[in-house]
Amino acid sequence: MPDAHPLRLVIFDCDGVLIDSEPVVNELVAAELTRLGWPTTADECYQRFLGLNLDDMVPLIEAGLRRPLPPNWPETMAARIVARLQRDVPMVAGAREALAAVTALGLPWRVASNSSHPEMAAKFGCNGLLPLVTGRLHSFTDVPRGKPAPDLFLAAAAAERVPPAACLVIEDSVPGVRGAIAAGMRCLGYAPHGDGAALAAAGAVPFHSLSALPEILRSLTAVRS
């Protein structure tokens, strides 16, 4: 991974990197699309919508339904997702340790997500991490464009007054990787199931376990001659 600048900020994606919310959300969306007349499975939702926010999903869903969605569908669906996530959603294995490793290295970190602030509050709140992440969260609702645009990542970097070239993004979706690369940032593609080809093609360096992060981060904090 090219690193002309030593690492000064780590930006985590939320869903699929820190919080294992994607199975829950995909199940809810699949049930909703099936109810609306487009029979869909949770796995199909994962393949079609990974990394997209609810607003960006609307034209894809309307194309599948061949008719418009009900008014305010993203807001209604978001409220249902928040209600479900408030009850229980696990963290990704190794996520707590990864955050601790970043902190131990003296690196600031932030979270940039295509989720809304209420969704992230529910996800982190049910895991007891809301006090830790408060003030570090960036939602697609804060910027003109969500991922795959670079806006979220640039906002996170600006909040820490760190240049993009000194940032490292950790993503698990192609839209997220594209946004990081467009922002001029290095990107690790988290591929826990071993298939990181799509992430690599988008510009990320794949890795397969969050336990590998500390060593990667240590190498990137060193000044290269």
Side-chain angles (χ1 to χ4, degrees), residues 15-66:
D15 302 292
V17 172
L18 296 176
I19 304 293
D20 194 17
S21 53
E22 289 169 348
V24 172
V25 173
N26 288 328
E27 181 182 335
L28 288 172
V29 172
E32 171 69 0
L33 299 189
T34 299
R35 184 188 70 82
L36 290 171
W38 184 17
T40 308
T41 67
D43 184 64
E44 288 169 338
C45 283
Y46 176 83
Q47 298 297 328
R48 289 187 180 114
F49 307 130
L50 179 64
L52 300 180
N53 62 59
L54 288 168
D55 288 336
D56 288 340
M57 289 163 54
V58 168
L60 302 177
I61 294 170
E62 290 182 336
L65 289 171
R66 298 184 180 180

Side-chain angles (χ1 to χ4, degrees), residues 109-193:
W109 56 268
R110 289 183 170 264
V111 179
S113 175
N114 263 357
S115 295
S116 66
H117 281 291
E119 288 175 81
M120 285 192 283
K123 295 165 189 174
F124 287 111
C126 73
N127 285 286
L129 290 181
L130 193 55
L132 180 64
V133 300
T134 296
R136 306 178 195 249
L137 301 177
H138 300 268
S139 165
F140 82 99
T141 59
D142 301 330
V143 294
R145 302 169 298 169
K147 306 171 190 178
D151 304 31
L152 264 170
F153 300 115
L154 293 173
E160 290 287 346
R161 299 184 180 181
V162 172
C167 298
L168 175 70
V169 174
I170 302 174
E171 269 286 353
D172 73 322
S173 74
V174 169
V177 172
R178 288 175 176 163
I181 300 303
M185 300 178 182
R186 291 165 286 184
C187 187
L188 291 176
Y190 180 50
H193 305 298

Side-chain angles (χ1 to χ4, degrees), residues 56-117:
D56 288 340
M57 289 163 54
V58 168
L60 302 177
I61 294 170
E62 290 182 336
L65 289 171
R66 298 184 180 180
R67 60 182 171 81
L69 282 165
N72 300 318
W73 182 86
E75 294 80 4
T76 301
M77 197 68 215
R80 291 177 58 191
I81 290 170
V82 168
R84 173 63 181 82
L85 295 175
Q86 285 174 331
R87 298 198 299 271
D88 177 51
V89 61
M91 293 195 72
V92 172
R96 290 180 190 271
E97 294 78 7
L99 294 178
V102 176
T103 301
L105 286 168
L107 286 168
W109 56 268
R110 289 183 170 264
V111 179
S113 175
N114 263 357
S115 295
S116 66
H117 281 291

